[in-house]
């Protein structure tokens, strides 16, 4: 079965750039979506199809996808960006989530 | 603005069947273009996709849960439902319903989630 690998945690200084990776075999050939989940809340879509932002998501959030790694980039990180982030793809008719990355803003 | 709301018992006994309903407002399940999905999250863990249904009634399930899962739809009530049979403590989780776009296969709307505990 297809697996997505995310780092358990990423730390970033306030105002700096955070990068959260999502690794998978030839993930560059798939559409990758990213969700933000704050404690006690449902996930929220922040990036769809690799690099597209839904309405209402700040431009500080961006994404890329190539080869075996997709990356969610959060520029000028704010305290409110502290959350868990999950990547998601479809593979062989099965939906797969990454294990999630906890972003800490220092 | 589409809204989804889960409802159902918060406590289920082992070996019984977990039953949840998701009520959709602000849009019609029958409008097409979307799959209506269930996703769960074990306490302190990541997200696990359970399955989806189309308004026509066609379904698709996570192979790891397929033998125990049934998802159904009631278009007249704008609701869809989840049944998970033979539950154990390992099924204790927050259960979310969500709308998935058919074209690009991402979840654009989620319910707030409901905690279901399996315990005697």
């Amino acid at each position: 079965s297809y697996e997505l690998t995310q780092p358990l945690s990423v730390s970033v200084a306030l105002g700096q750039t955070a990068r959260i990776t999502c690794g998978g075999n030839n993930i560059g050939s798939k559409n990758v979506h990213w969700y933000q989940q704050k404690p006690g809340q449902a996930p929220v879509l922040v990036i769809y199809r690799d690099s597209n932002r839904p309405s209402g998501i700040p431009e500080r959030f961006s994404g890329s996808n190539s080869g075996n790694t997709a990356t969610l980039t959060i520029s000028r990180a704010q305290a409110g960006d502290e959350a868990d982030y999950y990547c998601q793809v479809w593979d062989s008719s099965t939906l797969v989530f990454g294990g999630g990355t906890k972003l800490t803003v220092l | 603005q589409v809204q989804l709301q889960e409802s159902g018992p918060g406590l289920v006994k082992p070996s019984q069947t977990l039953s949840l309903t998701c009520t959709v407002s602000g849009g019609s399940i029958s409008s097409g273009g979307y799959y209506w999905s269930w996703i769960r999250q074990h306490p302190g863990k990541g997200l696990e996709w359970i399955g989806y249904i189309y308004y026509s009634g066609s379904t698709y399930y996570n192979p790891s849960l397929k033998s125990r899962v049934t998802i159904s739809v009631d278009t007249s009530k704008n609701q869809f439902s989840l049944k998970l049979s033979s539950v154990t403590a390992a099924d204790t989780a927050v259960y979310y319903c969500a709308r998935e776009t058919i074209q690009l296969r991402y979840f654009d709307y989620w319910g707030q989630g409901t905690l279901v505990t399996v315990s005697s």
Side-chain angles (χ1 to χ4, degrees):
Chain A
S1 62
Y2 194 79
E3 293 186 358
L4 295 174
T5 301
Q6 296 184 238
L8 283 176
S9 63
V10 169
S11 298
V12 62
L14 188 68
Q16 297 305 301
T17 297
R19 293 179 179 85
I20 298 173
T21 58
C22 177
N25 185 34
N26 198 26
I27 196 174
S29 67
K30 306 180 188 301
N31 289 322
V32 179
H33 317 300
W34 291 91
Y35 303 88
Q36 175 194 69
Q37 185 181 33
K38 295 182 179 179
Q41 298 184 19
V44 172
L45 181 72
V46 294
I47 291 289
Y48 67 93
R49 199 177 62 178
D50 300 340
S51 59
N52 296 272
R53 277 179 295 103
S55 173
I57 300 301
E59 291 183 8
R60 300 184 298 103
F61 287 80
S62 62
S64 63
N65 184 20
S66 179
N68 293 320
T69 304
T71 302
L72 172 68
T73 301
I74 306 171
S75 304
R76 302 182 299 284
Q78 300 178 358
D81 298 332
E82 197 161 277
D84 294 326
Y85 291 84
Y86 295 90
C87 54
Q88 176 242 310
V89 301
W90 270 90
D91 175 79
S92 300
S93 300
T94 298
L95 189 148
V96 182
F97 286 105
T101 298
K102 181 176 181 58
L103 178 68
T104 300
V105 180
L106 305 172
Chain B
Q1 177 81 346
V2 174
Q3 293 185 315
L4 296 87
Q5 178 68 59
E6 306 88 352
S7 59
L11 181 63
V12 181
K13 289 182 166 51
S15 80
Q16 293 190 343
T17 296
L18 178 159
S19 296
L20 296 174
T21 295
C22 182
T23 301
V24 179
S25 58
S28 173
I29 281 182
S30 302
S31 63
Y34 303 100
Y35 292 130
W36 301 92
S37 303
W38 288 97
I39 296 152
R40 70 180 181 178
Q41 186 171 35
H42 295 103
K45 302 297 184 182
L47 301 166
E48 180 181 27
W49 170 69
I50 298 171
Y52 68 71
I53 191 165
Y54 191 53
Y55 78 93
S56 63
S58 60
T59 56
Y60 195 78
Y61 303 137
N62 185 328
S64 68
L65 296 168
K66 184 178 180 179
S67 63
R68 298 194 292 130
V69 173
T70 302
I71 298 176
S72 58
V73 65
D74 186 337
T75 55
S76 67
K77 295 182 179 178
N78 223 32
Q79 295 175 335
F80 62 106
S81 299
L82 168 70
K83 290 189 184 300
L84 182 65
S85 64
S86 305
V87 297
T88 69
D91 294 308
T92 293
V94 174
Y95 286 77
Y96 295 99
C97 57
R99 188 180 84 167
E100 180 186 8
T101 69
I102 289 180
Q103 185 176 10
L104 291 177
R105 311 305 303 273
Y106 58 79
F107 299 103
D108 57 355
Y109 290 98
W110 296 66
Q112 67 185 24
T114 186
L115 175 62
V116 178
T117 301
V118 179
S119 175
S120 55

